[in-house]
Amino acid sequence: MSYESPIRDQLVTGGKTYRDVTRDVTRPLENAPSKSWWIGFSISTLVLALWIGATTYTVFVGLGAWGLNKTVGWAFDITNFVFWVGIGHAGTLISAVLLLFRQKWRMSINRSAEAMTIFAVICAASFILSHMGRPWVAYWPIPLPNAFGTLWVNFNSPLVWDVFAISTYFSVSLVFWYIGLIPDIATVRDRAVSKARKFWYGFFAMGWNGSTKTWHRYEVISLILAGISTPLVLSVHSIVSMDFATSLVPGWHTTIFPPYFVAGAIFSGFGMVLTLLIIAREVMNYKDYITEAHLDAMTKIVMVTGTMVGMAYITEFFVAAYSGVEYEQYAFLNRAFGPYWWAYWTMMTCNLVAPQVFWFKWARTTPWFIFIMSIIVNIGMWFERFVIIVTSLHRDFLPSSWAMYTPTITEVSILIGSFGLFFFLYFLFCKFLPTINMAEVKSIIPTHHEDHGHNHVKGENHAN
Amino acid sequence: MEHAEVHIKEEKFEISSGNKKWAFGLMIVGFLLAVIGYFTYHPHIEGLNEHDLHHLTQKRLWSNLLVNGYFFFIVSICAAAFIAISQIANAGWYVAIRRIPEAMSEYTLIGGPILVIVSLFALPILYHWAHEGIMNPESANFDAILAGKSWYLNVPFFYVRMVLFMSFWMFCAHMFRKYSRKEDLEGGMTNYTKTYALSATFTVIFGFTFSMFSWDQMMSIDAHWYSTIFSIYNFATGWVSALTIMYLFTHYLRSKGLLNIATDEHQHDLGKFMFAFSVFWTYMFTAQFLLIWYANIPEEVAYYKERLFGSYQFLFFFILVLNFCVPFFIFMRRDWKRSRKVGYIVGAALLLGHWLDVYLMVMPGSMNLATLPTAENPGGIIKVPFQGFGIMEIGFLCLFAGLFLWMTLKALTKANLYPTKHPYIMESALHDVGV
């Protein structure tokens, strides 16, 4: 768009120049880490150690280390898996869907959101590996030719679809993230003073020289990748939902699952983006890049997706009542008023009720409040998966086999530990890579050269 | 570069004699065909008596009215939803074409009452749950499953919901138009801010009420059957159709040398929306179909068995071609989204496809005859095969299309062809889709 209405919010405030952007973003990379970084990184590493310990214990002992029983054969592991995959979705939405929608406010947040996607998918994958019980045969879900005998994977199984969906998602996200990083890595390379920095950043910059031609290619490939990623935002969690929805289990088999899981994934993803960015803008002093207008837009998305998810809860409940199928009806009554009622109402409160505060402007622009809300959202979304999975299983068709599920310390440790893994990777990312897309942010800085094309503006400033 | 060329000026639309001929021609021809179709329909189905066959004629008549009443109503209310959603998303690009969805939403003024009247008559004829004695344990017609739904599916509640929801939507659509037209005279931000607040309220309430509306109007035709995605699927149908009509109107007006503020760029973006939401529709279709087919629960697959393997099979696949393959493969190309000729073809395919989709939601269920439950037929339903797509169908479609066209064209004359004082009008005028 060559013209912007004066009533729109300024996306970068504080009168930043191109030079300021480069300086602000590369500061953490070029200086010794701050004290707060060391504290955060050390805690994450400790928690990561907990994850390593608990996962190793599981591998040695076997799944007996978990609280599963023959009725509830899938609980914490798959809850955590779905939880982490969901977290990743906001990154893809911000980088792909918002790119297609020409939402320029995505430019200062997309980098960390995409990094978050990748780390979240790594965390999710770790649960798939550990819940296999024998992680050394983890390549079995891959349809390899008959070298192992005549057995093939069951292509009719949504679990196999999942393997494809998640690995596609991971690879496309990684490529997208990396392509976006190249111009910025080149900037870091050009500013490098030590030989090692020059070599490594130079290696990953892949010879980027900032010419018009490279920028043109960059924009075209970004658009193509956005086009490929957009269906992935929908397909990945749709297929995750089919792990449940293709079954016959009341509470699982319902046609609204695919879009409802996608909405929930974006909801929880934005929760996590907000958690990370509110810390980042405080600690790294990025308040002029991640402005109140950004928080306002993101909290609106949280509210919309939270309400969509809430609508799905109500729809499911209604249709169960309407269906006249007594098993469906019981499954939902059991959810809301059975032994796991507290989980259900936590989910309802956190996901449907709590986000309604974002109708108020104050709530949408007050960082400490949004921070608390972002954590509430993620608690709610974790409980959503727990509710769906455990309450549908624990009272199955035979009342004689009804059971309760309680996680063991090992399972809880793996869950807590996975946050260690996530933040460990995130802290490393903050130290070694630019957390804000400098090149793109420079294109939206208020400038007097409005008639110049974006390419031109980027081209002359990439190496400042 | 383009800055110098844009002049925001007041531009009016006048109905030409050609417009009139088309709109009234469609209505008159449609009405005649529908009447002829009705009187020449003499069904012959083995095992059915004279009374049942007469009933079938009635059913086909009211089914057609329901299909069209529902389709054109959801299209025009989705046009209002388009305004509301664009407004709260702070969209700028669409302002140049905003008067088109505004005009489309004016059809609700006549389409709303029509649908209420159609439902009034259609309810006991088409909806199995509203038949005599279905909910009454004393009656021979008693159906225990449907009786279990009586807390929701009962005639008074059905009407209360319908009238309440529709009047709220129509009120909002009216206010959107009013604020927008006032803005042209007054300028300033007052009307914009008011529209913003109303749009947010409308969107939330619309989300919940449209769900129930689609369950009532469409899902309860196959009263035993249920699907949680059904309402969103219906929304997708209405939404894509509304986008398509906006796209076609923009092309049409520009071809007449009007609405020059809208360019190929707007055409392109509307085309992208048609493309994207056609995929969205297919996604909803798949969510519903795949999960039901895969789980293969008898109560649920019954719905698809009729459509996938019965006499409706051709339509079932034809709809997928029209609603997915055509927009997907043709509108993937940039220049075809911008081309008027190609655009008309894709637009026509999509409208026909989504209209047929509603047709396929209604017909297989509504044409079935209710009878006394017997040992061989415990459901008490006689399946009636596809009765053909005849002049009755074409007639009613033409009649409603003509009416819709007339209402929209008339509404377009009532205000400037684009909002001249909207805060984003310059953004829209200088809109460029970029790479």
Side-chain angles (χ1 to χ4, degrees), chain B residues 186-377:
Chain B
E186 297 168 0
M189 291 293 286
T190 328
N191 290 295
Y192 178 82
T193 320
K194 280 184 188 164
T195 314
Y196 197 96
L198 185 65
S199 297
T201 319
F202 171 80
T203 307
V204 175
I205 297 179
F206 181 71
F208 283 86
T209 49
F210 185 83
S211 271
M212 286 190 250
F213 182 72
S214 67
W215 295 332
D216 290 348
Q217 296 287 319
M218 292 287 121
M219 198 167 86
S220 81
I221 292 174
D222 291 88
H224 286 107
W225 182 77
Y226 54 91
S227 163
T228 41
I229 197 65
F230 193 80
S231 51
I232 307 171
Y233 177 71
N234 268 253
F235 172 72
T237 300
W239 182 255
V240 177
S241 312
L243 287 170
T244 307
I245 294 176
M246 282 176 232
Y247 175 88
L248 292 176
F249 261 107
T250 312
H251 260 323
Y252 171 73
L253 290 172
R254 290 175 61 223
S255 76
K256 294 285 161 201
L258 297 159
L259 198 67
N260 285 321
I261 195 169
T263 60
D264 278 351
E265 307 291 321
H266 297 84
Q267 221 64 69
H268 186 165
D269 264 358
L270 280 167
K272 278 199 257 184
F273 260 174
M274 287 157 71
F275 175 88
F277 282 100
S278 293
V279 178
F280 178 78
W281 175 88
T282 316
Y283 172 48
M284 294 305 155
F285 175 89
T286 314
Q288 181 167 290
F289 174 71
L290 178 77
L291 290 176
I292 287 176
W293 171 80
Y294 195 108
N296 206 15
I297 298 171
E299 286 83 351
E300 288 182 8
V301 283
Y303 183 83
Y304 279 112
K305 192 170 174 287
E306 274 178 90
R307 286 159 176 83
L308 184 58
F309 299 115
S311 43
Y312 291 95
Q313 192 177 45
F314 170 74
L315 279 181
F316 183 85
F317 288 107
F318 187 47
I319 287 168
L320 274 180
V321 172
L322 290 177
N323 292 351
F324 176 69
C325 302
V326 170
F328 187 82
F329 291 108
I330 298 182
F331 263 16
M332 197 178 273
R333 271 184 71 146
R334 179 187 173 93
D335 52 347
W336 283 351
K337 287 192 275 275
R338 294 168 174 244
S339 148
R340 190 184 312 140
K341 244 185 230 161
V342 179
Y344 280 163
I345 295 168
V346 173
L350 274 175
L351 287 181
L352 177 64
H354 287 286
W355 183 87
L356 280 174
D357 190 23
V358 172
Y359 179 83
L360 205 61
M361 285 183 215
V362 173
M363 282 289 174
S366 72
M367 292 295 283
N368 287 333
L369 285 166
T371 160
L372 291 182
T374 56
E376 301 91 67
N377 185 5

Side-chain angles (χ1 to χ4, degrees), chain A residues 52-174:
Chain A
I52 294 173
T55 310
T56 314
Y57 180 72
T58 302
V59 172
F60 273 94
V61 173
L63 291 189
W66 295 356
L68 303 172
N69 52 53
K70 78 175 166 66
T71 309
V72 186
W74 238 20
F76 242 56
D77 46 352
I78 218 72
T79 302
N80 297 333
F81 160 72
V82 181
F83 172 76
W84 278 116
V85 172
I87 295 281
H89 278 63
T92 325
L93 185 97
I94 290 169
S95 55
V97 179
L98 296 188
L99 177 77
L100 294 184
F101 277 110
R102 291 189 295 267
Q103 297 296 305
K104 291 185 177 172
W105 60 273
R106 60 175 260 288
M107 287 178 178
S108 53
I109 56 171
N110 60 354
R111 176 68 49 70
S112 1
E114 286 169 38
M116 181 196 80
T117 296
I118 290 160
F119 306 148
V121 176
I122 293 175
C123 290
S126 78
F127 285 98
I128 292 297
L129 288 185
S130 63
H131 101 308
M132 286 174 168
R134 288 183 293 163
W136 52 92
V137 292
Y139 57 92
W140 280 9
I142 301 164
L144 293 164
N146 290 357
F148 310 112
T150 49
L151 275 180
W152 280 83
V153 291
N154 179 5
F155 286 106
N156 293 334
S157 163
L159 297 177
V160 173
W161 310 343
D162 230 3
V163 172
F164 289 100
I166 305 277
S167 46
T168 312
Y169 184 49
F170 183 75
S171 17
V172 174
S173 300
L174 192 65

Side-chain angles (χ1 to χ4, degrees), chain A residues 194-216:
Chain A
S194 78
K195 257 193 173 158
R197 277 184 85 83
K198 201 150 209 113
F199 174 77
W200 284 112
Y201 284 98
F203 179 78
F204 285 108
M206 302 218 296
W208 177 271
N209 58 16
S211 64
T212 310
K213 204 167 186 174
T214 49
W215 275 114
H216 177 70

Side-chain angles (χ1 to χ4, degrees), chain B residues 87-231:
Chain B
Q87 179 84 26
I88 51 175
N90 284 324
W93 70 274
Y94 82 106
V95 176
I97 56 130
R98 194 182 200 269
R99 286 280 144 81
I100 297 171
E102 276 177 31
M104 284 161 66
S105 72
E106 203 158 313
Y107 167 80
T108 52
L109 294 179
I110 190 157
I114 289 178
L115 185 56
V116 172
I117 295 167
V118 168
S119 282
L120 203 65
F121 289 95
L123 209 53
I125 302 175
L126 304 182
Y127 294 80
H128 188 198
W129 60 267
H131 289 174
E132 276 274 325
I134 288 284
M135 310 276 189
N136 179 7
E138 311 291 308
S139 162
N141 284 329
F142 180 66
D143 183 321
I145 294 174
L146 294 185
K149 304 186 184 203
S150 62
W151 56 275
Y152 184 78
L153 288 183
N154 59 70
V155 176
F157 194 22
F158 179 95
Y159 280 122
V160 169
R161 284 195 301 266
M162 185 178 187
V163 172
L164 219 59
F165 297 168
M166 287 169 67
S167 30
F168 174 75
W169 302 341
M170 284 157 68
F171 166 75
C172 290
H174 172 75
M175 293 313 279
F176 293 151
R177 292 192 297 269
K178 197 178 139 190
Y179 289 145
S180 177
R181 286 166 193 176
K182 249 172 93 181
E183 188 183 60
D184 273 10
L185 303 174
E186 297 168 0
M189 291 293 286
T190 328
N191 290 295
Y192 178 82
T193 320
K194 280 184 188 164
T195 314
Y196 197 96
L198 185 65
S199 297
T201 319
F202 171 80
T203 307
V204 175
I205 297 179
F206 181 71
F208 283 86
T209 49
F210 185 83
S211 271
M212 286 190 250
F213 182 72
S214 67
W215 295 332
D216 290 348
Q217 296 287 319
M218 292 287 121
M219 198 167 86
S220 81
I221 292 174
D222 291 88
H224 286 107
W225 182 77
Y226 54 91
S227 163
T228 41
I229 197 65
F230 193 80
S231 51

Side-chain angles (χ1 to χ4, degrees), chain A residues 1-8 100-103 156-158 161 216 219-220 223 234-235 237-238 241-242 245-248 253-260 262 300 307 310-311 314-316 318-325 328-329 352 359 450-451, chain B residues 3 88-93 145 148-149 151-153 189 192 196 200-201 204 207-208 211 215 219-220 222-232 269 272-273 283-284 287-288 290-292 294-297 300 423-424 426-427 430-433 435:
Chain A
M1 234 180 284
S2 47
Y3 177 83
E4 202 155 88
S5 170
I7 66 163
R8 292 211 187 262
L100 294 184
F101 277 110
R102 291 189 295 267
Q103 297 296 305
N156 293 334
S157 163
W161 310 343
H216 177 70
E219 295 206 343
V220 170
L223 206 61
L234 298 164
S235 73
H237 231 54
S238 297
S241 81
M242 286 176 192
T246 50
S247 71
L248 303 177
H253 174 73
T254 174
T255 50
I256 206 171
F257 255 37
Y260 147 49
V262 172
K300 277 180 190 163
T307 311
M311 190 176 133
I314 296 169
T315 303
E316 277 186 326
F318 169 84
V319 172
Y322 172 90
S323 71
V325 180
E328 282 289 332
Q329 291 170 344
L352 174 58
W359 283 96
E450 273 185 7
D451 292 334
Chain B
H3 291 206
I88 51 175
N90 284 324
W93 70 274
I145 294 174
K149 304 186 184 203
W151 56 275
Y152 184 78
L153 288 183
M189 291 293 286
Y192 178 82
Y196 197 96
T201 319
V204 175
F208 283 86
S211 271
W215 295 332
M219 198 167 86
S220 81
D222 291 88
H224 286 107
W225 182 77
Y226 54 91
S227 163
T228 41
I229 197 65
F230 193 80
S231 51
I232 307 171
D269 264 358
K272 278 199 257 184
F273 260 174
Y283 172 48
M284 294 305 155
Q288 181 167 290
L290 178 77
L291 290 176
I292 287 176
Y294 195 108
N296 206 15
I297 298 171
E300 288 182 8
Y424 291 141
M426 275 308 280
E427 270 189 20
L430 298 169
H431 177 53
D432 175 5
V433 299
V435 193

